[in-house]
Amino acid sequence: MDKIKTKKKISPNRRHLIQALGAAVFNGHFKGFISGSIYKGSLKSICVPVLNCYSCPGALGACPIGSLQAVAGSTKFNFSFYVFGLIALFGILAGRFFCGYLCPFGLLQDLLHKIPSPKIKVPAKLNRVLSFGKYLMLIGVVMLLPLIVRNSLGMSDPFFCKYVCPAGTIGGGIPLVVLNPAMREAAGSLFVWKVTLAIAILVLSVFLYRVFCRYLCPLGAFYGILQPVSFYRFKINNKCIDCGKCARVCKMGVDPVKSPNSPECIRCRDCIHECPTGAIESCFGFKPSKETSEEESHG
Amino acid sequence: MNENLHKKHTSEGTLFRFFQLNKWSLLIAAVAIAFILIGLLRANGDEVKTLLMKAINICMECIGIG
């Protein structure tokens, strides 16, 4: 029992430490934050598994959503096999684990939600309807719009990055506008719109847990689609006493007993640490359960 | 000798069961790897070059300026 209590206290901080390390690794070009320029090395041809704008002064890799739109919006290609394959590989390996443990924008929202304030609990039905927003972003804005809306040269805008992405505004836009005088002069109404939207999302994050991840993030939607079949999985063993503690502690509105591999779960593992009987297990790959193996051997 | 045979049989059985239980995950992983390879080889690597060219230049749209 004591062991469980200790785990409860340490675990969230350890997760935030991993998130902070992830943010530092993905944005390891620290001198960019002083010079106001971006990294131009070959590492940028590799996508990171999280929403991390490649125009952030510190970014070492490419943002998968930005890359998907950039290639699809070019004159030569309508679709990026390479980026789509990479996102699918990340998703099938660990699902939304990346959202919970590595995403820098997720960390920012987690920290903002720690500010003492009244917290909003969205009713389950409304939450379900709103959560479709991220699929709309993925299929409509990220994948279909660049194919439909093209200019006379056959190119299209990265619509999600241009009009929505708050991670790009905070990681790339604001630092570059602050550090680079040329960028400051070029900033106009679009920048004002993006900063306003980013601030609105950040303010909402104080009251509503991970509002962007739940309702708008196209990368979270992609990983969520693959989560039920991803190798990294949660399962409920026969120790479950249906106390409901796991569902109450889940800030993403998931009931782990009903759907341990829900597309909404960000694998923060709060439910595992809250469970008094150790009924929620995580595993890599679908393991044959002990009971099944025993039944088979007896049979 | 018999024990070794039994061990081999059991580990093979577990491996078979692992493949059977993870068939969809393995299939999607294989398709994802195939997509990555197609992307790398497509048009003499132009797809990755296009991505690199976009990523090493400041994306004005992404930061809300373009």
Side-chain angles (χ1 to χ4, degrees), chain A residues 159-267:
Chain A
F159 293 98
F160 177 77
C161 303
K162 188 172 179 178
Y163 298 107
V164 184
C165 187
T169 313
I170 290 157
I174 294 172
L176 284 176
V177 165
V178 169
L179 297 166
N180 193 321
M183 296 286 160
R184 208 158 37 239
E185 272 180 29
S189 56
L190 182 62
F191 185 71
V192 173
W193 156 250
K194 283 203 71 182
V195 171
T196 309
L197 184 68
I199 290 171
I201 288 169
L202 293 183
V203 170
L204 261 176
S205 302
V206 177
F207 308 102
L208 186 53
Y209 186 68
R210 290 227 185 188
V211 63
F212 177 75
C213 310
R214 287 163 87 166
Y215 307 132
L216 291 170
C217 182
L219 191 59
F222 200 118
Y223 290 156
I225 291 167
L226 293 173
Q227 183 136 287
V229 287
S230 78
F231 285 106
Y232 181 64
R233 297 175 63 80
F234 281 5
K235 66 174 188 177
I236 311 296
N237 63 29
N238 55 8
K239 290 179 196 163
C240 180
I241 52 168
D242 272 326
C243 63
K245 278 187 176 178
C246 52
R248 282 197 294 276
V249 80
C250 181
K251 296 193 201 96
M252 295 296 283
V254 175
D255 184 346
V257 175
K258 279 185 190 158
S259 61
N261 299 299
S262 160
E264 305 306 315
C265 171
I266 56 163
R267 303 307 196 203

Side-chain angles (χ1 to χ4, degrees), chain A residues 27-258:
Chain A
N27 295 289
H29 182 248
F30 302 118
K31 65 178 180 185
F33 289 108
I34 299 159
S35 62
S37 59
I38 64 167
Y39 169 72
K40 290 179 181 290
S42 55
L43 274 177
K44 275 270 176 86
S45 60
I46 302 167
C47 292
V48 293
V50 292
L51 210 63
N52 194 90
C53 185
Y54 46 49
S55 289
C56 170
L60 287 175
C63 169
I65 294 297
S67 305
L68 204 60
Q69 292 179 103
V71 178
S74 67
T75 47
K76 283 183 185 173
F77 307 103
N78 289 328
F79 177 77
S80 175
F81 281 95
Y82 171 70
V83 180
F84 195 89
L86 272 177
I87 304 176
L89 190 64
F90 294 140
I92 203 64
L93 285 176
R96 292 192 77 179
F97 169 84
F98 299 110
C99 307
Y101 273 82
L102 292 174
C103 183
F105 195 63
L107 170 66
L108 183 60
Q109 290 176 88
D110 279 354
L111 297 178
L112 284 170
H113 194 70
K114 284 184 184 289
I115 295 172
S117 63
K119 305 298 176 196
I120 302 169
K121 183 114 179 146
V122 183
K125 256 189 181 175
L126 181 64
N127 186 47
R128 208 174 307 134
V129 172
L130 290 174
S131 65
F132 279 105
K134 60 180 177 290
Y135 300 104
L136 205 71
M137 282 290 164
L138 174 67
I139 296 163
V141 182
V142 173
M143 301 187 84
L144 290 180
L145 263 186
L147 292 178
I148 299 164
V149 185
R150 297 182 91 90
N151 63 19
S152 54
L153 296 169
M155 295 166 83
S156 71
D157 279 338
F159 293 98
F160 177 77
C161 303
K162 188 172 179 178
Y163 298 107
V164 184
C165 187
T169 313
I170 290 157
I174 294 172
L176 284 176
V177 165
V178 169
L179 297 166
N180 193 321
M183 296 286 160
R184 208 158 37 239
E185 272 180 29
S189 56
L190 182 62
F191 185 71
V192 173
W193 156 250
K194 283 203 71 182
V195 171
T196 309
L197 184 68
I199 290 171
I201 288 169
L202 293 183
V203 170
L204 261 176
S205 302
V206 177
F207 308 102
L208 186 53
Y209 186 68
R210 290 227 185 188
V211 63
F212 177 75
C213 310
R214 287 163 87 166
Y215 307 132
L216 291 170
C217 182
L219 191 59
F222 200 118
Y223 290 156
I225 291 167
L226 293 173
Q227 183 136 287
V229 287
S230 78
F231 285 106
Y232 181 64
R233 297 175 63 80
F234 281 5
K235 66 174 188 177
I236 311 296
N237 63 29
N238 55 8
K239 290 179 196 163
C240 180
I241 52 168
D242 272 326
C243 63
K245 278 187 176 178
C246 52
R248 282 197 294 276
V249 80
C250 181
K251 296 193 201 96
M252 295 296 283
V254 175
D255 184 346
V257 175
K258 279 185 190 158

